Amino acid sequence: LAMLANLEMSICRVRVTVRDALNQAMDEELERDERVFLLGEEVAQYDGAYKVSRGLWKKYGDKRIIDTPISEMGFAGIAVGAAMAGLRPICEFMTFNFSMQAIDQVINSAAKTYYMSAGLQPVPIVFRGPNGASAGVAAQHSQCFAAWYSHCPGLKVLSPWSAEDAKGLLKSAIRDDNPVVVLENELMYGVAFELSDEAQSKDFVIPIGKAKIERPGNHVTLVAHSRMVGFCLDAAAVLAKEGVECEVINLRTIRPLDTDTIEASIMKTNHLISVEGGWPQFGVGAEICARIMEGPAFNYLDAPAIRVTGVDIPMPYAKILEDNSVPQIKDIIFSVKKTLNM
């Protein structure tokens, strides 16, 4: 019976890359709602710079999968205007580093209009693309924008880690009536995860604003988003051999932040470590620490909260310097041992 149960579970689960999960999400939403369309650089005939939109142009044609010139301010503005006119655009930035060219459209035109129109003018738009450090692309192409965009009222900011995250969160973002920033990670696109039978459904969505406990534990809480969730799980596996059980929380959503899940975990573990690839100053970890200090979980901490972040410098090009500029598994393990006085 146990063998049959395991066989049934393996049949229900398939391995899907993050790239293909994002592709599935867009395909299903394009099919579901004729108001949805995708625009960006090389998204159509080239199938996307990272092949995330592979096959969509052939299936949906020029009117719904639109190649744009290299002009982020221009096509982001077109997308925002289309959203105001009743369509539901997905605006792809080849990398979020290029979104700085369009940040006025994202924040002033998209994020603030619903408030400034007294709720009369929604802007249902998704801004998506790879975010954070990649490999060997130096300072101008290696920034994490989680703190940048989550600073701004009017935006929802999502940061998926797994294939399930990618599919469920992107579908929720497309269906949302507010502007949503979806921060993917280039280094995660080719990583395959098991996708449950539930997640393979066209009706599968993940609620925005809810974190997920990826690994339960009772000694220390590790809070992370995007690629760093995997690093935390790897560190937790190493520490488990030494008798330390880490609770790993995958934020999934940066704004609105699921403070309740973090607080509940701290009340159990009495220790907090935040992990992110971005810079430390005014970062996601800084916000988490501030909220914990201001809230009921602060009195449960047995040691100061610790932030594991990228180094506070522009990203170097040399590989050995790059490796030492972003958090590594050993940095998480060191921080856990430090907070537990091991």
Side-chain angles (χ1 to χ4, degrees):
L1 286 173
M3 289 179 66
L4 283 172
N6 289 333
L7 179 62
E8 187 178 346
M9 284 191 68
S10 66
I11 292 171
C12 291
R13 291 177 176 271
V14 296
R15 290 185 66 78
V16 176
T17 64
V18 171
R19 172 186 292 109
D20 289 340
L22 292 164
N23 182 278
Q24 283 180 26
M26 290 192 290
D27 187 11
E28 290 170 8
E29 295 305 303
L30 283 158
E31 185 179 277
R32 174 180 173 271
D33 189 340
E34 63 181 11
R35 297 172 297 171
V36 176
F37 70 98
L38 171 69
L39 79 167
E41 295 156 356
E42 299 182 349
V43 300
Q45 295 185 46
Y46 189 67
D47 282 340
Y50 299 97
K51 307 307 175 190
V52 173
S53 55
R54 182 167 43 208
L56 298 182
W57 174 67
K58 290 180 180 176
K59 184 173 181 179
Y60 295 102
D62 288 324
K63 288 190 175 181
R64 300 189 66 195
I65 312 296
I66 304 169
D67 278 329
T68 66
I70 304 174
S71 175
E72 283 76 13
M73 174 65 87
F75 69 74
I78 289 170
V80 172
M84 290 178 177
L87 299 179
R88 304 186 80 87
I90 306 167
C91 178
E92 176 180 311
F93 295 117
M94 191 182 291
T95 159
F96 260 94
N97 298 279
F98 300 160
S99 76
M100 280 195 286
Q101 298 289 332
I103 203 163
D104 181 60
Q105 298 289 4
V106 176
I107 292 177
N108 279 330
S109 299
K112 298 177 182 177
T113 295
Y114 188 68
Y115 175 82
M116 294 180 72
S117 67
L120 295 175
Q121 180 61 68
V123 187
I125 185 171
V126 174
F127 300 100
R128 53 153 295 269
N131 169 69
S134 178
V137 291
Q140 293 173 332
H141 293 148
S142 298
Q143 293 152 143
C144 175
F145 285 84
W148 292 54
Y149 286 118
S150 62
H151 183 66
C152 180
L155 288 178
K156 296 182 180 181
V157 182
L158 314 181
S159 184
W161 165 61
S162 66
E164 180 178 298
D165 291 351
K167 182 176 180 181
L169 289 172
L170 182 54
K171 285 170 71 73
S172 288
I174 295 168
R175 296 183 188 189
D176 201 286
D177 287 332
N178 301 281
V180 184
V181 172
V182 181
L183 301 171
E184 301 154 13
N185 187 287
E186 179 187 337
L187 297 176
M188 295 301 299
Y189 281 147
V191 179
F193 292 85
E194 282 192 347
L195 209 59
S196 67
D197 192 41
E198 178 192 7
Q200 293 172 51
S201 166
K202 290 186 177 182
D203 297 320
F204 176 72
V205 292
I206 291 174
I208 293 173
K210 185 64 180 170
K212 180 186 179 185
I213 297 175
E214 296 287 351
R215 179 185 177 123
N218 52 21
H219 291 135
V220 60
T221 298
L222 303 179
V223 183
H225 67 96
S226 190
R227 186 168 176 245
M228 291 299 128
V229 175
F231 280 35
C232 286
L233 289 170
D234 289 343
V238 173
L239 289 159
K241 296 175 183 176
E242 301 182 36
V244 177
E245 292 300 329
C246 302
E247 182 144 295
V248 179
I249 297 177
N250 173 8
L251 285 174
R252 286 181 163 176
T253 304
I254 310 298
R255 184 183 184 104
L257 193 65
D258 184 3
T259 309
D260 290 344
T261 296
I262 302 170
E263 287 179 339
S265 180
I266 291 169
M267 289 175 182
K268 179 174 67 170
T269 68
N270 309 115
H271 299 88
L272 170 65
I273 296 173
S274 69
V275 185
E276 64 184 305
W279 293 314
Q281 187 154 322
F282 311 115
V284 175
E287 176 65 19
I288 291 169
C289 290
R291 291 200 187 188
I292 297 308
M293 187 180 72
E294 294 165 354
F298 176 72
N299 292 320
Y300 288 80
L301 284 173
D302 288 343
I306 292 177
R307 291 179 296 158
V308 178
T309 71
V311 178
D312 197 21
I313 57 169
M315 180 65 75
Y317 175 70
K319 187 178 188 310
I320 189 168
L321 297 178
E322 179 184 74
D323 289 344
N324 283 280
S325 297
V326 293
Q328 304 295 330
I329 295 167
K330 62 181 176 62
D331 301 320
I332 301 169
I333 294 171
F334 174 82
S335 297
V336 169
K337 291 183 174 181
K338 178 182 177 182
T339 195
L340 294 178
N341 291 316
M342 292 176 65

